[in-house]
Amino acid sequence: MFSNIILGEFFMNMNTNKIYLDQASTSFPKAPSVAKTVYDYLSGSAVNVNRGGYLAAYSVEEQIFETREQLLRLFHFSSGKGKNVIFTENITTSLNVLLKGLLKPGDHVLVTAMEHNAVMRPLVQLTKNGVSFDRIPCDSEGNLLLEKASALLRPSTRLVVCLHASNVCGTIMPVQEIGNFCQEHGLLFILDTAQTAGTIDIDMEKLHLDALAFTGHKGLRGPQGIGGFLIRNELAAQIEPLLSGGTGSASHSEEVPAFLPDRFEPGTPNIPGILGLHAALSDLEKASGNPENSYQVSMESIFAHEMMLTRYFIEHILELDTDGKFIKVIGKKNTDNRCAVVSVQTPQMDMAQAAYELDDRYGIMTRVGLHCAPNAHRTLGTYPEGTLRFSFGPETTSQELDTALHALAALTGLKS
Ligand SMILES: Cc1ncc(COP(=O)(O)O)c(C=O)c1O
């Protein structure tokens, strides 16, 4: 009880006094209807799905079905159906299911030099079973050198799996060119959209994606614990499910169902999470006020706002400290081909101390360290010390960035 009161106060403060610049980790605030939708479900009926023969269960099933349809529209998966949308807890689980279910001894995989551990750890685990991988190099700003990929191809290369944008420095990968490369060489293509879903338009068909992994709690602004993947039938047929169990369907059989989505959705799903994601997607759709391409229109304005903030933040740092003696911007110094994630180093001050003091003295929340992407830091020249990361969302304001810039300058000794 006591700790609940403290937590309650903390979250109230987070709404009022704090400046949240850790959107790349998880978004805050969530989309407007999310909290109420989750609350209404949990307090109103909280029925299970695919198991109960009563009206309340059917209505929740309908909303889950609609959420699948929303995701098909969001990611332009026009040849897919609702069953091709699989719910999991997050991108990490999605990538584990996809990679561990697909890859066999002898298979070879290409990744970029900027990957998150959500891709790298499953792959490194799989190397113990005879899977191998190569990293397509990136330059010191995280730009992919796709022209170097052909030399890495082997007869056993089966797949390219990569992130859409770096969670360390924001650099966006040339996904259309990667998709074309995969088409040309008969490779499967799986995309990790953790840092872009909800802010950048992603067209599964145009990119020739075989599967797209998403997480609900970042740019989509839904709750934590809900994510998933969209997958083509041809790829789904090649994947052995990592998990199995009851699905409420084909209960006469002890075999894993062959049909989607049940094949990859054993057990009671995260219903509050799916309904929260449904609410977030509905908010995104409605925000455009435009019934045509509504997701795209909303995302364009969110992205424009986030790029305005990114430009503002970087330009002010560069103006304050041209040679990066106190605050050094890592990666790109402009807004070309990037998302709203900015990493810096503070050469005159321990970065963990800077992050602590930003929070303690100014109420500014950031993230420090390697951000689960050690090789990205090797590429950017920031390994092993890592970076202090600032990331912005649709409700971040330039006034908040002014406070952060002022605080950074004061803490690092650049300005008192
Ligand atoms: C690029 C990238 N991939 C994967 C993930 C993992 O996302 P989740 O923790 O939601 O599974 C993250 C999280 O920060 C990320 O930035």
Side-chain angles (χ1 to χ4, degrees):
M1 187 67 193
F2 179 66
S3 64
N4 279 348
I5 293 170
I6 303 237
L7 265 184
E9 273 175 11
F10 177 78
F11 289 128
M12 295 273 292
N13 282 342
M14 182 144 161
N15 271 323
T16 49
N17 305 329
K18 294 276 184 174
I19 296 179
Y20 184 67
L21 301 181
D22 195 16
Q23 304 282 345
S25 175
T26 196
S27 55
F28 185 82
K30 297 300 178 189
S33 323
V34 172
K36 182 173 183 314
T37 303
V38 174
Y39 176 83
D40 285 350
Y41 165 71
L42 289 174
S43 58
S45 67
V47 291
N48 208 336
V49 286
N50 302 334
R51 285 142 176 92
Y54 34 84
L55 203 62
Y58 300 143
S59 123
V60 173
E61 276 160 33
E62 206 172 292
Q63 289 192 56
I64 293 181
F65 176 78
E66 271 178 31
T67 316
R68 295 186 205 274
E69 298 270 310
Q70 287 177 311
L71 289 160
L72 289 175
R73 286 202 296 283
L74 175 70
F75 295 120
H76 303 273
F77 191 9
S78 50
S79 62
K81 301 216 162 39
K83 68 183 175 112
N84 297 95
V85 178
I86 312 295
F87 289 116
T88 66
E89 289 100 306
N90 45 44
I91 285 216
T92 303
T93 312
S94 298
L95 289 168
N96 271 273
V97 170
L98 291 166
L99 298 175
K100 291 178 180 166
L102 173 72
L103 297 169
K104 305 276 176 297
D107 285 344
H108 175 250
V109 179
L110 292 179
V111 296
T112 78
M114 296 297 288
E115 297 309 319
H116 187 276
N117 274 342
V119 165
M120 293 320 300
R121 285 189 175 165
L123 273 185
V124 166
Q125 254 187 313
L126 283 163
T127 58
K128 290 161 196 149
N129 299 344
V131 171
S132 58
F133 68 84
D134 277 296
R135 303 179 214 255
I136 310 170
C138 295
D139 68 16
S140 60
E141 293 187 342
N143 297 301
L144 188 73
L145 306 173
L146 188 58
E147 65 279 11
K148 307 227 170 192
S150 303
L152 300 171
L153 285 171
R154 299 184 196 168
S156 58
T157 309
R158 195 166 172 206
L159 166 75
V160 175
V161 54
C162 69
L163 43 62
H164 191 179
S166 165
N167 63 311
V168 176
C169 64
T171 303
I172 294 177
M173 296 297 148
V175 280
Q176 187 62 62
E177 287 75 11
I178 300 173
N180 297 345
F181 175 85
C182 289
Q183 283 292 98
E184 201 184 313
H185 296 282
L187 307 177
L188 294 166
F189 183 20
I190 297 177
L191 191 63
D192 162 355
T193 67
Q195 295 300 334
T196 51
T199 45
I200 296 181
D201 194 28
I202 304 169
D203 188 321
M204 216 168 138
E205 305 288 353
K206 274 200 204 140
L207 298 181
H208 311 295
L209 285 173
D210 294 283
L212 174 158
F214 68 93
T215 204
H217 67 106
K218 297 185 193 267
L220 294 176
R221 304 180 73 200
Q224 288 86 353
I226 185 66
F229 57 92
L230 280 67
I231 188 166
R232 292 187 190 281
N233 291 330
E234 299 74 18
L235 176 57
Q238 300 173 52
I239 294 182
E240 194 52 39
L242 195 63
L243 299 171
S244 51
T247 52
S249 59
S251 293
H252 63 282
S253 167
E254 292 179 346
E255 293 286 332
V256 177
F259 50 88
L260 301 177
D262 300 33
R263 188 162 175 74
F264 298 109
E265 289 185 352
T268 296
N270 175 2
I271 302 171
I274 298 173
L275 298 183
L277 179 61
H278 179 268
L281 290 168
S282 302
D283 285 342
L284 184 64
E285 225 166 356
K286 279 185 227 139
S288 70
N290 179 344
E292 295 289 314
N293 300 321
S294 45
Y295 286 128
Q296 286 68 53
V297 175
S298 298
M299 288 190 294
E300 262 170 37
S301 74
I302 291 172
F303 189 66
H305 174 74
E306 291 185 1
M307 282 306 98
M308 178 279 286
L309 294 170
T310 306
R311 189 176 307 114
Y312 186 84
F313 192 68
I314 294 177
E315 281 177 1
H316 276 77
I317 293 178
L318 296 177
E319 219 174 273
L320 284 169
D321 188 5
T322 355
D323 50 9
K325 230 174 115 199
F326 296 85
I327 313 167
K328 183 178 172 200
V329 178
I330 302 301
K332 287 171 186 283
K333 313 287 180 285
N334 56 37
T335 48
D336 297 345
N337 240 0
R338 72 175 303 148
C339 66
V341 174
V342 183
S343 263
V344 302
Q345 287 189 325
T346 52
Q348 312 294 326
M349 186 183 193
D350 179 76
M351 283 182 287
Q353 185 67 22
Y356 171 77
E357 293 201 23
L358 280 172
D359 183 30
D360 192 51
R361 291 170 56 181
Y362 301 91
I364 299 169
M365 292 179 265
T366 59
R367 181 169 171 188
V368 72
L370 293 171
H371 319 294
C372 302
N375 205 70
H377 288 275
R378 288 193 185 95
T379 308
L380 298 167
T382 50
Y383 188 86
E385 63 279 12
T387 57
L388 175 60
R389 186 183 74 179
F390 296 80
S391 47
F392 318 131
E395 297 194 31
T396 308
T397 64
S398 41
Q399 288 76 11
E400 288 179 323
L401 298 197
D402 284 339
T403 308
L405 287 160
H406 165 81
L408 253 185
L411 285 176
T412 56
L414 183 57
K415 264 191 183 170
S416 53

